[in-house]
Amino acid sequence: MARIQSKKNSTKKEIIIEKAARLFREKGFGAASMRDIAETVGVEAASLYNHIQSKSEILQAICFKVANDFIAQLEEVERSNASTLEKMETIIRMHIRMMLEHYEYVYISDHEWRHLPEPYLSNFLNQRRSYRKRLSDVIEEGIHKNEMKNIDPYVAVLTILSAISGIESWHRSRKTTGAETLEENMVKYLIEGLKK
Amino acid sequence: MARIQSKKNSTKKEIIIEKAARLFREKGFGAASMRDIAETVGVEAASLYNHIQSKSEILQAICFKVANDFIAQLEEVERSNASTLEKMETIIRMHIRMMLEHYEYVYISDHEWRHLPEPYLSNFLNQRRSYRKRLSDVIEEGIHKNEMKNIDPYVAVLTILSAISGIESWHRSRKTTGAETLEENMVKYLIEGLKK
DNA sequence: GAACCACCCTAACACTTGTTAGTTTTCATT
DNA sequence: AATGAAAACTAACAAGTGTTAGGGTGGTTC
């Protein structure tokens, strides 16, 4: 019960996933090999299998952790009794912060999910679809309550989530624009386009 | 000079690139093998090398074709004497239509460029950076001329391009929303958020 | 001190990868 | 019918893939 632990109070499995996430993001799931992962962990490839069952288990862990995180936070917003515009702003900020603070994980969940094996793939896509539906319900309500301009809710959700997912390219850049400027301006842009 | 041609007035090389594009988009560059490509072309893998030099040459052809297309169209807009807002709307529509009509190519150029070998990779990224800079110059001018609201130009460009790139997920969906609705609503959203 | 267990190692597996060599087929032009 | 080039084929290569088997090592617990 002691040896399995490391410096950071995390199990070796968690360490493996963390290191793998970095590589999956940098090179893509397919191009990052188990031997690559093993090297950054400081161990032989075969040894990884004492802690994980397969390469794709790592991907599953990452994708579903992110998905669950988003769903949990969305539920919190849904339960609140803020206006629909406030709700959307909260959600947008939540997404931006997730992208800023958990870049690797969110990026992988956004871009590498197609490598999930069935039935996880279908599962993931269903969760995703239902998540977006719930977001567009908020917008639809906002339109009915005359708090938002009349815009196709599906397109609005698509626009918002895609825009935020593009923060990925900021992360890869030289970051002459600060994180705070990024957040405030993107929120401004996306909320302004929604307002009546 | 005749045998190399096929039904569609295109060389075999172009056919290979087209078929490969489909596979690169579906499975990713790394996961699509030369044997996969050969099969859809209806030939053995080794025979592909009578027409192309390497797998990555296909990727280069796709990425730079798209990049050059975008640059050419941007230059046309820059030369016009429309207002900055009109310019931005034209550019946004151009991007949306490219995404709608040349989905496979644009998607690959957006998502698989990291597999380009040097020096093509650096080249590609430089073109991309300079393209975005020119877009943000238009927005900056719009702000100075008081035609646009005061928003960080870098963030605005990031938001616009990322949003449009998300049309990819519409393409993969059941398309309950039509292409026209998609275009009009996204333009509305993105332009409205820019207007003073 | 013996047994146990978690963990690492080396070696190997079956398979897939992009690509090359060498040969044969196809077909328009002479 | 013969020529010559383009383009297809088979076979093989070296390297890399995820994963398993089996054995060794060092620390914890009886």
Side-chain angles (χ1 to χ4, degrees):
Chain A
M1 204 73 97
R3 221 155 113 262
I4 210 174
Q5 305 274 345
S6 159
K7 325 163 193 175
K8 301 167 59 185
N9 280 36
S10 43
T11 65
K12 197 113 195 181
K13 180 167 182 173
E14 289 169 325
I15 294 176
I16 291 172
I17 293 176
E18 216 168 293
K19 300 285 192 183
R22 181 86 194 269
L23 287 170
F24 288 173
R25 198 258 308 158
E26 280 174 1
K27 318 174 69 170
F29 177 77
S33 74
M34 292 301 277
R35 286 164 182 85
D36 287 338
I37 298 170
E39 191 180 3
T40 74
V41 174
V43 99
E44 289 301 314
S47 305
L48 296 174
Y49 288 84
N50 285 308
H51 306 280
I52 55 157
Q53 287 200 314
S54 68
K55 188 186 179 188
S56 77
E57 193 208 5
I58 304 178
L59 186 59
Q60 291 161 37
I62 294 172
C63 289
F64 286 97
K65 169 154 182 24
V66 172
N68 291 335
D69 251 43
F70 275 122
I71 290 172
Q73 295 193 63
L74 172 58
E75 270 162 6
E76 202 173 313
V77 174
E78 284 174 333
R79 272 196 303 273
S80 81
N81 46 9
S83 75
T84 59
L85 252 177
E86 287 166 343
K87 279 182 182 173
M88 281 313 294
E89 177 164 343
T90 306
I91 291 166
I92 289 172
R93 282 192 193 277
M94 182 265 279
H95 271 265
I96 293 177
R97 295 220 178 110
M98 284 284 281
M99 197 66 192
L100 289 173
E101 292 159 23
H102 306 287
Y103 170 38
E104 322 260 26
Y105 278 45
V106 178
Y107 176 84
I108 292 165
S109 166
D110 259 22
H111 289 82
E112 305 289 337
W113 53 262
R114 48 163 105 228
H115 295 104
L116 285 170
E118 290 289 3
Y120 302 98
L121 178 59
S122 299
N123 208 300
F124 182 82
L125 288 176
N126 284 339
Q127 281 195 241
R128 202 175 164 93
R129 187 164 37 239
S130 112
Y131 183 88
R132 293 193 179 203
K133 177 65 168 56
R134 282 159 80 172
L135 277 197
S136 81
D137 284 347
V138 175
I139 294 182
E140 204 163 357
E141 192 191 333
I143 297 171
H144 281 142
K145 286 189 177 165
N146 237 15
E147 293 169 5
M148 294 182 192
K149 73 159 61 92
N150 188 29
I151 194 167
D152 184 279
Y154 169 83
V155 176
V157 170
L158 182 69
T159 304
I160 291 167
L161 294 186
S162 308
I164 294 167
S165 142
I167 290 177
E168 166 239 327
S169 97
W170 172 83
H171 255 113
R172 272 197 330 266
S173 77
R174 290 172 232 162
K175 300 185 188 170
T176 50
T177 304
E180 200 156 327
T181 308
L182 179 66
E183 175 173 342
E184 290 312 320
N185 280 273
M186 192 172 277
V187 169
K188 184 172 161 190
Y189 196 162
L190 293 176
I191 288 293
E192 213 68 32
L194 228 46
K195 267 189 196 150
K196 184 90 190 182
Chain B
M1 204 74 98
R3 214 147 121 269
I4 212 173
Q5 305 276 344
S6 156
K7 326 164 192 176
K8 300 167 59 185
N9 282 34
S10 44
T11 65
K12 196 110 195 181
K13 180 166 181 173
E14 288 168 325
I15 293 176
I16 291 172
I17 293 177
E18 217 167 292
K19 300 286 194 183
R22 180 85 195 272
L23 287 170
F24 289 175
R25 196 258 309 159
E26 281 175 0
K27 320 173 68 170
F29 176 78
S33 74
M34 292 302 276
R35 286 164 182 85
D36 287 338
I37 298 169
E39 192 179 3
T40 75
V41 174
V43 100
E44 289 301 313
S47 305
L48 296 173
Y49 289 83
N50 284 312
H51 307 279
I52 56 156
Q53 288 200 315
S54 68
K55 188 187 179 186
S56 77
E57 193 209 4
I58 304 178
L59 186 60
Q60 291 162 38
I62 294 172
C63 288
F64 285 98
K65 170 155 183 21
V66 172
N68 290 336
D69 252 42
F70 275 122
I71 290 172
Q73 296 192 64
L74 172 59
E75 268 163 8
E76 203 173 311
V77 174
E78 285 175 333
R79 273 196 303 273
S80 80
N81 46 9
S83 73
T84 58
L85 251 178
E86 287 166 343
K87 279 183 182 172
M88 281 313 294
E89 177 165 343
T90 306
I91 291 166
I92 289 172
R93 282 191 192 276
M94 182 266 279
H95 271 265
I96 294 177
R97 296 217 177 111
M98 285 284 281
M99 198 65 192
L100 289 174
E101 292 159 22
H102 306 286
Y103 170 39
E104 321 262 25
Y105 279 46
V106 177
Y107 176 84
I108 291 164
S109 167
D110 259 21
H111 289 82
E112 305 290 335
W113 53 262
R114 49 164 102 224
H115 296 104
L116 286 170
E118 290 289 1
Y120 302 97
L121 178 59
S122 300
N123 208 299
F124 182 83
L125 288 176
N126 284 338
Q127 281 195 242
R128 202 176 164 91
R129 188 164 38 240
S130 113
Y131 183 88
R132 294 193 177 202
K133 177 66 168 57
R134 284 158 78 172
L135 278 196
S136 82
D137 285 346
V138 175
I139 294 180
E140 203 162 359
E141 192 190 333
I143 297 171
H144 282 142
K145 286 189 177 167
N146 236 16
E147 294 169 3
M148 294 182 192
K149 73 161 58 93
N150 189 28
I151 193 167
D152 184 278
Y154 169 84
V155 176
V157 170
L158 182 69
T159 304
I160 291 167
L161 295 186
S162 308
I164 294 168
S165 140
I167 290 179
E168 167 241 325
S169 97
W170 172 84
H171 254 114
R172 271 196 334 264
S173 78
R174 291 174 230 161
K175 300 184 187 168
T176 50
T177 302
E180 199 156 326
T181 309
L182 178 67
E183 175 173 341
E184 290 313 318
N185 280 273
M186 192 173 277
V187 169
K188 185 171 159 190
Y189 196 160
L190 293 176
I191 287 293
E192 213 68 30
L194 226 46
K195 269 189 195 150
K196 186 90 189 180

